[in-house]
Amino acid sequence: MKSQKILVTGASVAGPALAWWLSRQGMEVTVVEKAAEFRDGGQTIDVRGAGRVVIQRMGLENIIRANTTHEEGIAFVDQDDRTKAFMGVNAFGGEGPIAELEILRGELAKLLILHGQDRVAYRFGDSIEALHDDGEQVHVRFESGAEQAYDLVILAEGIGSATRNRVFGDEVQRRPLDLYTAYFTLPRQPSDGQVMRWYNIPGGRCVCLRPDNLGTTRALLSFQQVPSGYEKLTRDEQASLLRQRFAGAGWETPRVLAALDDAPDLYLEAVGQVRMSRWSKGRIALVGDAGYCASPISGMGTSLGLCGAYVLAGELGRHADHTQAFAAYEALMRPYVTQAQGVPRFAPRLASPHSRLGIGLGHAVLRMATAPGFKRLLGRFLSPKADAIDLPDYDVLQRT
Ligand SMILES: Cc1cc2nc3c(=O)[nH]c(=O)nc-3n(C[C@H](O)[C@H](O)[C@H](O)COP(=O)(O)OP(=O)(O)OC[C@H]3O[C@@H](n4cnc5c(N)ncnc54)[C@H](O)[C@@H]3O)c2cc1C
């Protein structure tokens, strides 16, 4: 493909990775991010399977490894903080519930951006207000008032992508998983250690505490509930909702709820997936969660975003026509995405049973998970097939 002028929207994981691979081919790439400035921190995500291969091919594995959260495993605890089941990071060859490469989302995004910033133009605090594809170019008007035409526009805006909704309209299908999850940061205390602790509460709720590498602790609270618009409440309303839902829950929950007031980064999401019958329309395409979010439950979002960026850039490089490139990208990625999205709707109920009996049974099953015989069987549920794609070796991506 001849040198192209490409706009990428969204500077998290998929956007900066795509921009780096495109710029490596001499394409002129601009990334526009709606957040006013780079957002640090975020929650722990994992890089696994083919996603790790992409990181290796980017030459980033060592620096990512140096910036992981160094979690040693996951402990399922009772209200007295006694461990009822434990899985070490190597229980499933480094690809289990806690993968070998666990890193804060903001840390990964920062490394990806830094890696490409000498060749990619990053612009924060702006987003697309209107766009028009005339078949030859995409004409974009930004919120800032700037206007520009591009050969291609790639949306990497995450699960809630407004531009995707504008371009694809009714084609955007959301699959709710009837689960709300809240994330925020709280001060670290000695009991937080180096292990993720998962505490189940009757009623299909759980509280998890995860160590990070920045001297703080990351809290995750989830409860099962059909989509109810809670993600649109104000921050204070969300904090009240969480206090009410988790009142009297025991364990370290009072400490976690007390930290809500000062948490700078409370984020409540309705967990779900994005399913699209196509990932491109004319000169506009989707990458990462914007096109095929599999949900945090799948543990595959980052790997899908990284692989999608790599394959899309490689196909754009080897086809003269963007239509062929988009078709090849979809043909290669679609089976990988489909299996990652095969999370059963009842998965949240398995992870957070409703009764004390169910919680006890769950712990018993988890205790057996690493025993010979059960390991292979349960491994299929506990660790996704993160390497279920043959990543092509693109000659065009070898250029510097
Ligand atoms: C709490 C949490 C835990 C997770 N755990 C895991 C895990 O264990 N393993 C895993 O693989 N994945 C996990 N994921 C998912 C993972 O973070 C994403 O799937 C992955 O980062 C893909 O990122 P993305 O770049 O496609 O989208 P996102 O990371 O959602 O980024 C989208 C970016 O676009 C920006 N944006 C939005 N709208 C616009 C706009 N209109 N214009 C410009 N910019 C815009 C946003 O500000 C954001 O920076 C988790 C996600 C969350 C929220």
Side-chain angles (χ1 to χ4, degrees), residues 130-140 148-153 281-284:
L131 74 175
H132 169 65
D133 179 352
D134 70 5
E136 297 296 320
Q137 283 190 308
V138 186
H139 301 268
V140 177
Q148 193 62 259
Y150 299 90
D151 296 308
L152 301 172
V153 173
K281 191 172 179 182
R283 292 180 168 272
I284 302 164

Side-chain angles (χ1 to χ4, degrees), residues 92 339 342 369 374-385:
F92 296 91
Q339 64 92 25
F374 285 99
K375 193 167 168 174
R376 255 183 78 190
L377 181 69
L378 283 170
R380 281 171 40 202
F381 292 97
L382 295 170
S383 46
K385 284 196 223 149

Side-chain angles (χ1 to χ4, degrees), residues 81-162:
D81 201 39
R82 288 178 302 211
T83 298
K84 308 304 282 185
F86 177 78
M87 283 175 218
V89 73
N90 291 317
F92 296 91
E95 301 279 352
I98 303 295
E100 189 193 358
L101 295 183
E102 296 276 351
I103 182 168
L104 295 175
R105 182 162 53 161
E107 294 290 288
L108 177 58
K110 185 164 68 187
L111 294 173
L112 290 167
I113 292 170
L114 286 174
H115 200 46
Q117 67 177 3
D118 55 337
R119 290 191 262 198
V120 175
Y122 278 93
R123 200 161 86 232
F124 286 80
D126 207 357
S127 57
I128 295 177
E129 187 181 73
L131 74 175
H132 169 65
D133 179 352
D134 70 5
E136 297 296 320
Q137 283 190 308
V138 186
H139 301 268
V140 177
R141 190 174 70 245
F142 294 94
E143 298 282 348
S144 60
E147 294 190 13
Q148 193 62 259
Y150 299 90
D151 296 308
L152 301 172
V153 173
I154 316 290
L155 310 176
E157 298 178 3
I159 186 170
S161 173

Side-chain angles (χ1 to χ4, degrees), residues 9-16 32-35 39 43-48 97 102 105 108 126-128 156-163 181 183 210 220 267 269 287-290 293-296 298-305:
T9 55
S12 176
V13 174
V32 168
E33 161 62 51
K34 81 169 177 191
R39 284 181 300 173
Q43 293 295 321
T44 309
I45 57 174
D46 47 35
V47 180
R48 51 173 88 228
E102 296 276 351
R105 182 162 53 161
L108 177 58
D126 207 357
S127 57
I128 295 177
E157 298 178 3
I159 186 170
S161 173
T163 318
T181 303
Y183 312 92
R210 306 188 74 166
L220 178 160
Y267 173 66
E269 72 164 340
V287 69
D289 277 7
C293 176
S295 87
S298 77
M300 287 285 290
T302 306
S303 298
L304 293 181

